Amino acid sequence: MLLAMTGGPKQSYILPMQKGGAVYIMTNKYNTVLYTGVTANLWRRVFEHKERLDPKCFTFKYNIDKLVYFESFHSIEEAIAREKQIKGGSRKKKEMLIN
């Protein structure tokens, strides 16, 4: 997304809008399932999981509604890279992050 800015009547330039991101881990009531996700708006995304808005979603199927871990990043690209690292790790590594 780009933001147009003007520096005066004859000056204009374009700046990229930077948007941060977050990687998060959620679980269910019994802590038996771990879900790792990435989002640009953590609080909205957690709300969507808790409200079970999408019946086709993994988190809906397994009743995942409890946020147990998150990391914030300056860019969504950094968050995506971290999500891939976390997803590539074992359950034990994820539990170590949470604890």
Side-chain angles (χ1 to χ4, degrees), residues 17-95:
M17 289 183 67
Q18 294 184 345
K19 194 167 192 177
V23 63
Y24 62 96
I25 300 175
M26 294 184 73
T27 191
N28 60 3
K29 181 164 92 171
Y30 304 105
N31 302 325
T32 55
V33 180
L34 294 177
Y35 173 80
T36 304
V38 67
T39 184
N41 186 330
L42 180 61
W43 306 118
R44 184 200 77 231
R45 191 67 181 123
V46 169
F47 173 80
E48 291 170 355
H49 289 305
K50 285 181 172 287
E51 293 300 313
R52 305 182 72 208
L53 299 177
D54 183 2
K56 297 176 185 172
C57 185
F58 179 88
T59 57
F60 181 95
K61 183 177 179 180
Y62 292 98
N63 297 310
I64 295 171
D65 63 358
K66 184 169 54 169
L67 180 67
V68 291
Y69 181 81
F70 73 93
E71 293 178 33
S72 297
F73 296 90
H74 292 291
S75 74
I76 193 68
E77 293 82 11
E78 290 175 296
I80 291 168
R82 181 65 174 136
E83 178 198 28
K84 289 178 182 178
Q85 286 179 336
I86 292 172
K87 282 186 170 183
S90 66
R91 180 181 177 97
K92 184 173 183 171
K93 285 185 179 181
K94 292 172 192 162
E95 289 172 348

